[in-house]
């Protein structure tokens, strides 16, 4: 059998030098935003029981989860998401904590993507979870944290905001079988106007059908609400709409209008979200770089009903961009001990230099010629010999 | 502002799309005289067109290196996942169909059937919808050959006129779905360049009415 000794599995890669510097830089910036908002870091295991992610409301496709078994045959998942593990943690270990709690994470998630699509199967993510509160204050706190995180990297980002309750109310009112409803969901999510219209043409022309038909095109600025209010009549849908409108006007008051788009057709993992939903985009990356919203329902899984909202940002692309601007990590000084008896002095000298802010490296080579050559080839400007 | 980059499916769809662009008054000279150039300017720099094989159009759009794409619904059904489908362009019409030898009673009996196709995903989904287990064999060339030489009981393929089927004593048993060219958009592009894309979509919509 051919051994895969010298390659990494598809969808994974090594990070080297500047790439790591860039990852650190991105994570530091985001950490600062999160910690400024008083979120506190948690780390959960990369391995969890598969059961945690298998509920319908988790919204994660079975085939995208890496699985293995433990030594008693129970199915283990390599975490495809960090929110559910944190919900597990909160509903068990933090039961007696003072709520609401603010948690953040900085850890990879793993998805088994179809092969040859160029997608990463190991995705570095940072995100926040605001748990134990409902309503507008919590939603605003989460959205402004998301905005600040993105703003740290790009001025021209877009954050689109929608509400899962709007579609939920409309689809419940619609007189159609579950399969049709499922198709409608998919079509709206993909903004597939033609298929949506074909399908709705077959149904009775009710107010609800008309409202659903218009959802995918209802995205933009404040004008969206006017349009929507003339089309949508169902009371539950209207209450979601008016909530979104008041949230949007708060975001305008916070001077975020330029970066925020309202998208009433925004649907994602629809069984999972139960209130506002949002996705962030930046120039140059073809997919959402940030996604989040309110997902109170997930705590029902643990029998401790609680409000929960948050978001996750994908680090990889931000780091790739930052790599081009991040500083060189080549040392400025190489400290070399001429004889073995000079080693102690050389180590002391190196740490002195480092303390004074110079990027100094103690040479671990024992031949002067080799050490000088190493410095020259790497481009280290100064060679300092101890023991002359 | 960067031009909007559009991926076109080479061949028949390319021709119809160029006609549509010209109808909208966009200059397509570079496409007509493309030579060996791969990225072509259209509408005096407003758009950039790249020509690609159907499945690659989807790849380019999904990854966001092209903002828009024109591709057949057949390719979308077989390969597509995460992008927006904005418009049915109306041209490139044909149908997916299940066909088999004339006089063959496809749905008779309990034996699992074998289907030859260029579109394994479409085929699998179609039969899953019928709760039928079938064996799917992927064929790259003329699928019609498979039932004739006894490799498969039937085929799932694109049917336009049906003349190839007729010439080989095959017939359509059931239509799977209608197909035509679609305008697709990258998710992020639609958010970041909403106005420009909406303007183009509106113009196209009016032109194909």
């Amino acid at each position: 059998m051919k051994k895969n000794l010298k390659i990494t599995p598809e969808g994974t890669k090594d990070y080297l030098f500047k790439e790591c510097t860039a990852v650190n830089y991105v994570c530091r910036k985001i950490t600062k935003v999160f910690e400024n908002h008083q979120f506190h870091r948690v780390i959960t295991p990369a391995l969890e029981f598969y059961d945690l992610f298998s509920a319908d409301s988790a919204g994660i496709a079975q085939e995208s989860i890496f699985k293995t078994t433990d030594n008693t045959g129970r199915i283990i998942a390599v975490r495809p998401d960090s929110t559910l593990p944190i919900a597990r943690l909160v509903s068990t270990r933090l039961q007696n904590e003072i709520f609401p709690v603010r948690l953040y994470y900085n850890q990879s998630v793993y998805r088994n993507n179809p092969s040859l699509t160029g997608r990463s199967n190991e995705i570095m993510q940072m995100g926040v979870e605001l748990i134990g509160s409902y309503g507008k204050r919590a939603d605003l706190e989460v959205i402004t944290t998301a905005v600040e995180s993105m703003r740290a990297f790009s001025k021209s980002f877009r954050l689109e905001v929608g509400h899962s309750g709007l579609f939920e109310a409309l689809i419940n009112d619609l007189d159609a079988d579950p399969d049709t409803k499922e198709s409608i969901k998919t079509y709206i999510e993909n903004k597939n106007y033609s298929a949506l219209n074909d399908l709705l043409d077959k149904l009775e022309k009710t107010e609800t059908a008309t409202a659903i038909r218009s959802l995918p095109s209802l995205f933009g600025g404040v004008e969206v609400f006017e349009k929507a209010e003339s089309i949508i009549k169902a009371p539950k849908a209207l209450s979601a709409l008016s909530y979104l409108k008041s949230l949007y006007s708060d975001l305008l008051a916070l001077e975020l209008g330029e970066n925020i788009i309202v998208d009433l057709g925004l649907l994602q993992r629809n069984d999972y979200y139960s209130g506002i939903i949002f996705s962030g985009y930046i120039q140059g990356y073809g997919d959402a770089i940030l996604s989040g919203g309110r997902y109170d329902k997930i705590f029902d899984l643990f029998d401790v009903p609680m409000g929960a909202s948050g978001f996750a940002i994908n680090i990889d692309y931000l780091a790739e961009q930052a790599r081009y601007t991040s500083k060189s990590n080549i040392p400025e000084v190489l400290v070399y001990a001429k004889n073995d008896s000079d080693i102690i002095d050389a180590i002391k000298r190196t740490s002195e230099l480092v303390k004074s802010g110079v990027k100094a490296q103690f040479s671990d080579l024992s031949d002067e010629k080799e050490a000088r050559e190493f410095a020259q080839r790497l481009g280290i400007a100064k060679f300092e010999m101890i023991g002359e | 502002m960067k031009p909007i980059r559009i991926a076109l499916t080479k061949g028949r769809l390319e021709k119809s799309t160029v006609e549509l662009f010209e109808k909208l008054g966009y200059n397509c000279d570079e496409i007509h005289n493309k030579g060996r150039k791969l990225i072509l300017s259209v509408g005096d720099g407003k758009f950039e067109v790249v020509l690609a094989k159907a499945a690659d159009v989807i790849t380019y759009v999904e990854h966001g290196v092209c903002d828009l794409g024109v591709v057949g619904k057949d390719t979308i059904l077989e390969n597509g996942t995460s992008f927006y489908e904005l418009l049915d362009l109306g041209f490139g019409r044909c149908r997916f169909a299940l066909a088999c030898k004339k006089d063959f009673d496809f749905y008779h009996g309990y034996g699992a059937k074998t289907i030859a196709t260029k579109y394994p995903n479409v085929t699998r989904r179609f039969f899953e919808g019928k709760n039928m287990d079938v064996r799917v064999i992927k064929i790259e060339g003329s699928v019609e050959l498979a039932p004739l030489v006894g490799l498969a009981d039937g085929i799932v393929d694109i049917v336009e006129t049906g003349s190839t089927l007729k010439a080989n004593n095959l017939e359509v048993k059931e239509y799977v779905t209608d197909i035509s060219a679609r305008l697709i958009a990258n998710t992020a592009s639609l958010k970041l360049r909403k106005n420009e894309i909406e303007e183009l979509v509106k113009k196209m919509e009016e032109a194909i009415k």
Side-chain angles (χ1 to χ4, degrees):
Chain A
M1 202 178 88
K2 187 172 173 265
K3 289 223 170 106
N4 301 309
L5 271 181
K6 296 185 175 177
I7 49 170
T8 67
E10 195 182 342
T12 66
K13 65 170 189 173
D14 300 317
Y15 286 78
L16 298 165
F17 311 134
K18 263 190 155 184
E19 293 169 330
C20 294
T21 318
V23 169
N24 288 343
Y25 164 82
V26 168
C27 291
R28 250 198 324 271
K29 269 187 137 172
I30 298 177
T31 301
K32 202 169 160 209
V33 175
F34 289 179
E35 291 188 343
N36 283 348
H37 280 264
Q38 306 309 315
F39 287 91
H40 307 292
R41 185 167 180 188
V42 292
I43 298 175
T44 68
L47 303 179
E48 296 267 358
F49 282 112
Y50 173 72
D51 308 15
L52 182 60
F53 306 103
S54 65
D56 276 349
S57 55
I60 303 167
Q62 182 185 154
E63 58 269 29
S64 71
I65 302 179
F66 284 103
K67 299 169 214 69
T68 179
T69 53
D70 71 1
N71 53 18
T72 59
R74 292 179 293 186
I75 305 174
I76 301 288
V78 187
R79 71 167 168 251
D81 160 280
S82 290
T83 296
L84 284 156
I86 290 177
R88 169 192 57 70
L89 175 157
V90 168
S91 56
T92 53
R93 308 194 46 189
L94 293 185
Q95 266 188 58
N96 302 321
E97 191 71 19
I98 301 161
F99 284 96
V101 290
R102 295 184 177 207
L103 307 174
Y104 83 85
Y105 54 86
N106 178 2
Q107 58 194 26
S108 295
V109 297
Y110 300 84
R111 300 275 170 101
N112 200 347
N113 286 309
S115 60
L116 299 181
T117 54
R119 292 209 179 89
S120 291
N121 285 354
E122 181 178 39
I123 307 148
M124 285 192 259
Q125 281 190 339
M126 289 188 73
V128 303
E129 306 291 343
L130 176 50
I131 296 165
S133 54
Y134 299 88
K136 196 158 88 172
R137 293 174 195 220
D139 289 349
L140 279 170
E141 177 66 16
V142 170
I143 291 180
T144 50
T145 310
V147 166
E148 278 173 43
S149 309
M150 292 192 75
R151 187 172 278 165
F153 302 97
S154 160
K155 282 201 179 85
S156 59
F157 70 91
R158 290 276 188 288
L159 192 78
E160 50 167 8
V161 185
H163 196 295
S164 69
L166 189 70
F167 178 73
E168 221 46 56
L170 290 174
I171 198 86
N172 285 339
D173 277 358
L174 192 73
D175 185 22
D177 61 86
D179 280 353
T180 310
K181 289 184 179 183
E182 195 54 46
S183 307
I184 291 177
K185 253 185 212 179
T186 317
Y187 295 151
I188 293 189
E189 207 175 326
N190 300 337
K191 296 220 183 299
N192 186 342
Y193 303 84
S194 43
L196 179 69
N197 289 339
D198 283 353
L199 215 160
L200 290 170
D201 282 341
K202 291 181 199 144
L203 302 173
E204 218 185 318
K205 283 212 164 36
T206 56
E207 261 174 9
T208 314
T210 319
I212 289 179
R213 189 187 298 256
S214 63
L215 275 187
S217 59
L218 288 173
F219 73 108
V222 70
E223 75 281 357
V224 168
F225 293 107
E226 267 170 56
K227 267 197 242 167
E229 279 160 1
S230 67
I231 301 167
I232 294 168
K233 300 283 183 269
K236 266 193 183 162
L238 276 177
S239 89
L241 190 66
S242 83
Y243 177 75
L244 198 58
K245 192 178 175 181
S246 86
L247 189 82
Y248 183 69
S249 77
D250 289 346
L251 292 170
L252 288 186
L254 287 165
E255 288 167 16
L256 300 175
E258 232 175 272
N259 297 110
I260 306 256
I261 319 181
V262 181
D263 185 354
L264 301 186
L266 181 63
L267 286 186
Q268 45 192 7
R269 290 167 78 187
N270 205 261
D271 297 321
Y272 176 81
Y273 289 107
S274 59
I276 54 151
I277 17 178
F278 52 88
S279 302
Y281 297 90
I282 62 173
Q283 202 68 252
Y285 189 65
D287 207 346
I289 202 150
L290 177 152
S291 68
R294 170 160 293 281
Y295 30 79
D296 302 336
K297 274 185 274 185
I298 66 166
F299 276 94
D300 296 347
L301 289 176
F302 305 99
D303 301 317
V304 278
M306 235 187 301
S309 53
F311 62 85
I313 312 178
N314 291 349
I315 301 300
D316 308 48
Y317 180 72
L318 293 175
E320 205 177 297
Q321 292 305 299
R323 190 179 51 157
Y324 300 114
T325 54
S326 68
K327 275 191 234 137
S328 137
N329 48 11
I330 294 168
E332 295 157 339
V333 183
L334 188 70
V335 182
Y336 177 73
K338 190 172 185 201
N339 302 302
D340 282 357
S341 56
D342 302 317
I343 291 176
I344 305 299
D345 285 341
I347 290 179
K348 280 185 179 163
R349 172 65 181 153
T350 311
S351 53
E352 243 170 59
L353 283 169
V354 171
K355 245 181 235 162
S356 69
V358 178
K359 278 202 256 175
Q361 179 177 317
F362 169 68
S363 171
D364 40 38
L365 294 167
S366 51
D367 180 273
E368 184 187 335
K369 199 171 151 235
E370 265 179 45
R372 279 190 190 276
E373 208 175 282
F374 172 81
Q376 197 194 354
R377 287 180 63 191
L378 210 63
I380 301 175
K382 202 176 158 204
F383 186 83
E384 192 174 321
M385 187 143 73
I386 307 295
E388 275 170 300
Chain B
M1 199 67 182
K2 256 187 4 188
I4 290 193
R5 193 178 285 162
I6 309 174
L8 295 190
T9 304
K10 273 187 209 164
R12 228 168 35 129
L13 295 188
E14 167 194 344
K15 251 173 104 184
S16 308
T17 316
V18 169
E19 276 165 24
L20 177 61
F21 274 138
E22 285 177 335
K23 206 168 154 192
L24 296 177
Y26 297 126
N27 176 351
C28 291
D29 289 351
E30 275 205 18
I31 302 188
H32 292 302
N33 316 305
K34 50 180 158 305
R36 285 171 188 278
K37 262 184 104 172
L38 295 174
I39 298 182
L40 309 160
S41 171
V42 163
D44 305 314
K46 211 170 168 189
F47 306 107
E48 241 171 36
V49 161
V50 301
L51 297 171
K53 272 182 88 166
D56 297 342
V57 167
I58 290 186
T59 307
Y60 288 129
V61 172
E62 274 189 345
H63 284 265
V65 291
C66 291
D67 302 298
L68 297 174
V70 174
V71 64
K73 183 71 185 177
D74 51 329
T75 315
I76 295 179
L77 288 170
E78 184 62 25
N79 306 300
T81 44
S82 54
F83 48 81
Y84 292 143
E85 190 177 319
L86 299 180
L87 205 56
D88 181 343
L89 294 169
F91 48 77
R93 281 196 186 284
C94 49
R95 286 199 271 193
F96 264 129
L98 165 69
C100 60
K101 277 201 238 173
K102 253 184 198 160
D103 313 320
F104 178 70
D105 189 357
F106 184 83
Y107 290 111
H108 180 76
Y110 51 75
K113 299 291 190 290
T114 303
I115 308 293
T117 184
K118 274 182 235 171
Y119 301 90
N121 293 329
V122 172
T123 306
R124 216 171 277 137
R125 262 203 312 273
F126 175 65
F127 286 104
E128 263 172 28
K130 293 177 168 299
N131 297 326
M132 268 176 82
D133 282 324
V134 294
R135 217 155 61 105
V136 179
I137 300 182
K138 183 161 188 214
I139 295 286
E140 298 288 344
S142 307
V143 185
E144 291 86 357
L145 184 60
L148 299 180
V149 295
L151 177 66
D153 299 302
I155 60 172
V156 168
D157 203 19
I158 290 177
V159 177
E160 266 174 85
T161 57
S163 49
T164 316
L165 293 180
K166 206 177 254 171
N168 289 295
N169 204 30
L170 300 168
E171 67 177 7
V172 170
K173 281 287 155 190
E174 199 175 333
Y175 285 106
V176 177
T177 182
D178 289 322
I179 293 165
S180 58
R182 306 298 161 100
L183 179 72
I184 62 173
N186 172 264
T187 14
S189 296
L190 190 66
K191 312 293 151 140
L192 294 164
R193 312 189 68 172
K194 175 177 188 295
N195 294 338
E196 298 156 84
I197 291 177
E198 276 193 337
E199 190 195 315
L200 177 68
V201 170
K202 220 169 254 163
K203 277 191 188 168
M204 284 184 158
E205 222 171 356
E206 263 154 41
I208 57 174
K209 244 180 208 168

